[in-house]
Amino acid sequence: NAGVTQTPKFQVLKTGQSMTLQCAQDMNHNSMYWYRQDPGMGLRLIYYSASEGTTDKGEVPNGYNVSRLNKREFSLRLESAAPSQTSVYFCASSGGDRVYNEQFFGPGTRLTVL
Amino acid sequence: QKEVEQDPGPLSVPEGAIVSLNCTYSNSAFQYFMWYRQYSRKGPELLMYTYSSGNKEDGRFTAQVDKSSKYISLFIRDSQPSDSATYLCASPGTSYDKVIFGPGTSLSVIP
C-alpha cells in the first residue's frame, strides 16, 4: 500500500498563476484533509472532506478551493497564487474508526510563490 | 488564544538524556490527546495517543495528561539521535471530525 500520495513534490509559481495539488489515498478512508505548515504556525487546516461528496472549510480557507473527486482523491486548487501562500502543503486521510481521529499524512508539497 | 500551545524550541540534548516535551490546551472538555513525530521533510506520523488523565507508556516514550492543569507531556528516556524530529501535540477537540495541532517542538539529540 502506498498510503497517502501527493503530487507534485515541489512547485514554483509566479504571483497570479494557478495550480492544483493532487492527493490520493489507498486505505479506503472516508475523511481527507488539506493542511499548510509554516514555521512557528504549525499545521493549519485549509479544507477537509468528511466523506465523498462533502467538503468544509477549515481555519485558513481563503484563496483555496477543493474537490473531493471520489473516495480516493482530494485536490486543492490555488486560483491566483500569492506570496503568502508559500508553504508546505500536506494532505491527510482518516478512517474514522479511531475516536481520536488518527491522521495519515502524505509526504508534502513544497510550494514557493514568487 | 490557540487551543493547543507548545514551546517551539529548538531543544538540543545529548544522547542518553531524558527529554520532556510539553503542551497546554485551553478547553477542559478535550478528552483525547496525541503526539505526532515529524522527521525533516516528511509528513507527521502518530507516535502515541492517550485518553483523559494519567500515563501511557510505549517503550522509551511516556505520554502524560494532567487534566487539572490542562497540561500534556511526552517523556523520552535514553534519547537517541534517531529521535531528532519535530514533535506535535494534538487533540481531536470536541468535534472529532478534525484534529487541532500544536505548532510543534523541534528536538535535536546530539551523539
Side-chain angles (χ1 to χ4, degrees), chain B residues 6-84:
Chain B
Q6 63 184 124
D7 184 347
L11 185 61
S12 183
V13 301
E15 182 175 354
I18 296 173
V19 177
S20 172
L21 302 169
N22 305 299
C23 273
T24 58
Y25 62 97
S26 60
N27 191 332
S28 57
F30 288 5
Q31 300 265 37
Y32 284 88
F33 304 94
M34 296 88 78
W35 285 95
Y36 281 77
R37 179 172 60 193
Q38 183 178 19
Y39 290 115
S40 181
R41 296 183 173 266
K42 302 285 189 185
E45 290 181 303
L46 181 68
L47 182 63
M48 294 181 70
Y49 77 93
T50 57
Y51 171 71
S52 195
S53 268
N55 292 359
K56 183 175 182 179
E57 192 172 314
D58 184 1
R60 295 184 295 109
F61 298 87
T62 300
Q64 189 176 78
V65 179
D66 181 346
K67 292 209 81 177
S68 62
S69 58
K70 296 201 278 288
Y71 206 78
I72 314 159
S73 300
L74 178 70
F75 299 97
I76 308 174
R77 290 184 300 280
D78 187 26
S79 56
Q80 302 295 309
S82 58
D83 296 327
S84 297

Side-chain angles (χ1 to χ4, degrees), chain A residues 31-45:
Chain A
S31 302
M32 297 186 74
Y33 308 81
W34 276 106
Y35 295 90
R36 58 178 291 173
Q37 187 174 38
D38 303 289
M41 303 294 289
L43 285 164
R44 291 184 291 169
L45 183 64

Side-chain angles (χ1 to χ4, degrees), chain A residues 1 8 11 33 38 42-43 61 70 72 75 80 83 90 104 110:
Chain A
N1 287 351
Q11 185 71 49
Y33 308 81
D38 303 289
L43 285 164
N70 48 55
R72 290 186 63 249
S75 62
S80 179
F90 287 101
F104 294 82
R110 293 181 174 272

Side-chain angles (χ1 to χ4, degrees), chain A residues 6 21 23 33-35 45-47 66 74-76 90-91:
Chain A
Q6 292 182 235
L21 283 66
C23 174
Y33 308 81
W34 276 106
Y35 295 90
L45 183 64
I46 305 171
Y47 272 93
V66 291
F74 189 38
S75 62
L76 178 72
F90 287 101
C91 177

Side-chain angles (χ1 to χ4, degrees), chain A residues 59-78:
Chain A
E59 183 184 352
V60 289
N62 291 346
Y64 305 95
N65 285 302
V66 291
S67 295
R68 183 74 183 266
L69 305 168
N70 48 55
K71 192 171 185 179
R72 290 186 63 249
E73 299 172 289
F74 189 38
S75 62
L76 178 72
R77 182 160 179 84
L78 287 71

